[in-house]
Amino acid sequence: MEFVESKIHVRNTLTNKKESFTPIAKGKIGMYACGPTVYGEPHLGHARSAITFDIIYRYFKFLGYQVRYVRNITDVGHLEDELNGQGEDKILKKARIERLEPMEVAQYYTNLYRGMMTRLNVLPPSIEPTASGHIIEQIAIIEQIISNGLAYVVDGSVYLDVVRYAEKYHYGELSGRALDELLTGSRALEGQEQKKHPADFALWKKAETGHIMQWPSPWGMGFPGWHIECTAMSSKYLGVPFDIHGGGMDLKFPHHEAEIAQSYAAFGCPPVNYWLHNNMMTLEGQKMSKSKGNFITLDQMFTGEHPLLDKAYHPMTVRFLMLQAHYGSPIDFSNQALKSAEVACAKLLKGLELVNDLQPNEVSSTSSERFSKHILNTCQSCYNKMNDDFNTAETIACLFDLLAVAQKLVHRGESTSTEALKMLKKTYRDFLTDVLGIRSESSAQDVVLPEVMDLLLELRQQARAQKDFSLSDHIRDRLATIGIQVNDSKENATYEFNRN
């Protein structure tokens, strides 16, 4: 699509104000979103964030912007105690429990995540870097921070000196937390005695004896802190500052606050111009939690195999429910809400058939002119709502308005101009499928996939029979990268979407 500059406003969570969005380079967007830590099955929280920034990515591309969208994979450095940077690495712990190599765990859940995102019709990002693949870049930034006098080394670990940092820059501007609050709210933890201040956070951690995930560094064998990975990857692929940084609001502190500090400490400037955060989800009024037993994975949503679910829900129903609320608003998942979303989504998809079949019925009259103007205004409203901080809920309402117009054209004999009819059909189709990413629940992908898989498995079995194991393994490994696991037996081979 040809680039058309549009007046977009976003709520910048750094200022907590709605601001006019101006990209650094005209017609180009640099966007980074925090991706998953790959140690468990993808869940509804992963879906909320991924869908939020998928919509933003889609809309910018729809407007003709050249978008570089970076979404990382965290496969090292994310410790159990996120706030204090203590405890065991989450992936390492999973690997220890399951007696696997850590990268085996990371690869398995990365494949599973990608497969689930495909089912939700989430577009893959432009670049999907991993933390473990950017150790050199992380070490270089840490060295720069040390050189700038804002970090210190203690027994092979490196910490950002928050007190010294705060003498030059504002620490806590995103989360609103002050150093005094962090000091009084801290608690005694093992390893904290290394820090000059409880708010100091690790840029690099010394690897203790037996720690599997470790790399050589100027300070000895160790591994990067959780926060430094995003600074390294976003700055490498987008520069500093870039346009938009996104993630769940639970990441504002400490993760995103630390990213801001690292960027100023290393480069002397903020990492990004606009911070966007999606809100959290509850389930029937309660916060989702594994300990409460109301935690639902995406696989459970799609199969219905959870005691709190009445039935299985199609990925498009889940996606549509999330789009019925503004990304900055909380969403409550309930069977009733899901069933309502299911009905509404089906109605708009059914309406697409009606809209596509509309035929010109141009009659010159005052009423026809008024109706044509109403259609054009409603089409423009779709753009206006998305331009207003990507308000998908209001955009969906506009699509229902357009559907009502289409029904009047068919059932009431209303007439309109050819221009208005053409705009109605294009706007309805573009916003439903391209911008909101809603596709038919019985799409060709769903119908053809089993036959395609049968053919692939047949070809793979032939390769195995001919002892062409290179081709056989290639087919299996390529399928694994899109979240499809091949299970071999003596008689035949079967496939399934990856599950834990």
Side-chain angles (χ1 to χ4, degrees):
M1 179 176 177
E2 183 181 350
F3 170 62
V4 178
E5 195 161 14
S6 209
K7 292 182 179 179
I8 297 174
H9 289 79
V10 300
R11 179 163 291 280
N12 188 349
T13 43
L14 183 67
T15 61
N16 199 29
K17 295 179 181 178
K18 191 174 287 187
E19 302 174 2
S20 175
F21 174 74
T22 304
I24 295 168
K26 185 175 181 179
K28 297 182 178 181
I29 304 289
M31 185 170 78
Y32 185 94
C34 290
T37 300
V38 282
Y39 71 101
E41 285 203 58
H43 51 70
L44 291 170
H46 291 133
R48 179 88 200 266
S49 184
I51 290 172
T52 292
F53 297 101
D54 178 58
I55 289 293
I56 296 172
Y57 180 36
R58 283 173 175 273
Y59 189 57
F60 279 133
K61 289 180 67 177
F62 172 72
L63 293 178
Y65 283 91
Q66 180 181 337
V67 187
R68 178 177 291 175
Y69 174 30
V70 182
R71 186 185 67 208
N72 73 297
I73 296 290
T74 296
D75 57 359
V76 65
H78 197 164
L79 306 184
E80 292 176 287
D81 185 345
E82 299 174 354
L83 185 60
N84 296 288
Q86 301 292 316
E88 193 173 3
D89 184 291
K90 292 183 176 184
I91 293 171
L92 190 58
K93 180 179 180 180
K94 187 76 170 180
R96 177 174 54 78
I97 293 172
E98 298 191 1
R99 297 183 180 181
L100 298 170
E101 283 289 332
M103 286 298 105
E104 194 173 1
V105 170
Q107 189 63 58
Y108 176 84
Y109 287 111
T110 297
N111 293 341
L112 186 58
Y113 173 80
R114 288 170 176 163
M116 289 299 177
M117 293 306 105
T118 298
R119 296 184 72 182
L120 286 166
N121 205 22
V122 171
L123 298 176
S126 312
I127 303 173
E128 193 172 37
T130 63
S132 64
H134 294 75
I135 300 296
I136 293 174
E137 291 84 354
Q138 294 174 76
I139 289 174
I141 292 176
I142 295 170
E143 288 183 308
Q144 185 60 52
I145 295 174
I146 293 173
S147 176
N148 292 341
L150 295 175
Y152 56 91
V153 182
V154 180
D155 189 28
S157 294
V158 185
Y159 296 93
L160 190 133
D161 192 331
V162 174
V163 172
R164 178 168 289 185
Y165 172 87
E167 293 173 357
K168 188 173 182 180
Y169 303 107
H170 181 191
Y171 183 75
E173 60 178 336
L174 180 65
S175 62
R177 302 196 183 199
L179 279 180
D180 291 342
E181 295 175 10
L182 296 173
L183 179 61
T184 56
S186 64
R187 55 193 176 95
L189 291 169
E190 183 180 351
Q192 291 282 52
E193 65 275 3
Q194 288 187 334
K195 299 181 181 182
K196 294 180 180 180
H197 187 283
D200 294 351
F201 57 88
L203 302 173
W204 185 267
K205 293 282 285 186
K206 177 183 178 180
E208 302 300 330
T209 303
H211 196 285
I212 300 174
M213 301 171 74
Q214 55 178 292
W215 291 265
S217 79
W219 319 287
M221 297 299 292
F223 56 91
W226 173 33
H227 314 306
I228 195 67
E229 64 170 282
C230 287
T231 297
M233 290 184 280
S234 64
S235 62
K236 176 174 181 174
Y237 297 112
L238 300 173
V240 286
F242 54 96
D243 294 304
I244 293 174
H245 194 315
M249 67 182 303
D250 57 322
L251 297 178
K252 288 173 67 175
F253 188 90
H255 188 52
H256 290 163
E257 196 72 76
E259 281 190 63
I260 293 174
Q262 289 166 167
S263 183
Y264 274 112
F267 312 121
C269 67
V272 65
N273 288 343
Y274 301 91
W275 285 93
L276 304 183
H277 289 91
N278 62 273
N279 213 315
M280 299 295 101
M281 292 175 299
T282 57
L283 183 63
E284 295 183 334
Q286 291 191 341
K287 182 180 178 181
M288 289 187 186
S289 169
K290 288 184 179 179
S291 61
K292 291 181 180 178
N294 68 347
F295 182 85
I296 303 180
T297 68
L298 291 175
D299 184 67
Q300 289 170 330
M301 288 295 304
F302 304 154
T303 62
E305 295 175 1
H306 191 285
L308 293 177
L309 294 174
D310 291 346
K311 52 177 265 187
Y313 293 97
H314 193 278
M316 286 303 99
T317 298
V318 176
R319 183 180 180 100
F320 193 84
L321 176 59
M322 293 188 180
L323 299 182
Q324 283 184 305
H326 183 270
Y327 73 86
S329 302
I331 295 178
D332 185 55
F333 270 75
S334 65
N335 283 285
Q336 184 56 50
L338 284 161
K339 290 172 184 175
S340 296
E342 187 175 51
V343 171
C345 183
K347 186 175 181 179
L348 285 181
L349 285 169
K350 183 67 174 176
L352 184 59
E353 299 175 15
L354 175 72
V355 170
N356 284 335
D357 290 339
L358 289 175
Q359 299 299 319
N361 183 23
E362 187 168 3
V363 178
S364 180
S365 67
T366 302
S367 62
S368 174
E369 291 176 4
R370 284 199 300 266
F371 199 57
S372 298
K373 185 176 181 180
H374 171 65
I375 291 174
L376 293 172
N377 287 339
T378 306
C379 290
Q380 182 59 45
S381 291
C382 289
Y383 289 87
N384 295 342
K385 299 304 182 182
M386 284 300 293
N387 289 345
D388 185 14
D389 198 21
F390 315 104
N391 196 328
T392 55
E394 294 293 336
T395 302
I396 287 173
C398 290
L399 290 179
F400 273 110
D401 288 343
L402 286 178
L403 180 56
V405 166
Q407 290 169 337
K408 289 180 180 179
L409 289 170
V410 172
H411 301 301
R412 297 188 185 179
E414 295 279 3
S415 61
T416 184
S417 68
T418 302
E419 176 195 3
L421 180 63
K422 182 179 178 181
M423 183 59 69
L424 187 160
K425 297 175 75 167
K426 184 179 188 310
T427 302
Y428 192 95
R429 179 177 59 251
D430 287 351
F431 275 82
L432 182 62
T433 61
D434 293 348
V435 176
L436 298 183
I438 300 298
R439 60 175 174 80
S440 172
E441 296 191 359
S442 57
S443 68
Q445 296 178 47
D446 298 328
V447 175
V448 172
L449 178 61
E451 295 188 21
V452 172
M453 285 303 304
D454 287 344
L455 175 60
L456 279 173
L457 294 183
E458 181 182 335
L459 293 173
R460 185 169 176 272
Q461 286 295 87
Q462 291 177 6
R464 284 164 62 86
Q466 297 167 5
K467 299 189 183 301
D468 187 352
F469 298 113
S470 176
L471 176 58
S472 171
D473 291 345
H474 177 68
I475 294 173
R476 179 199 62 202
D477 294 342
R478 284 298 301 273
L479 289 172
T481 64
I482 59 172
I484 299 176
Q485 178 179 312
V486 175
N487 302 312
D488 290 311
S489 67
K490 291 182 179 179
E491 295 79 20
N492 57 15
T494 59
Y495 72 94
E496 63 178 339
F497 288 101
N498 278 326
R499 298 185 187 180
N500 188 8

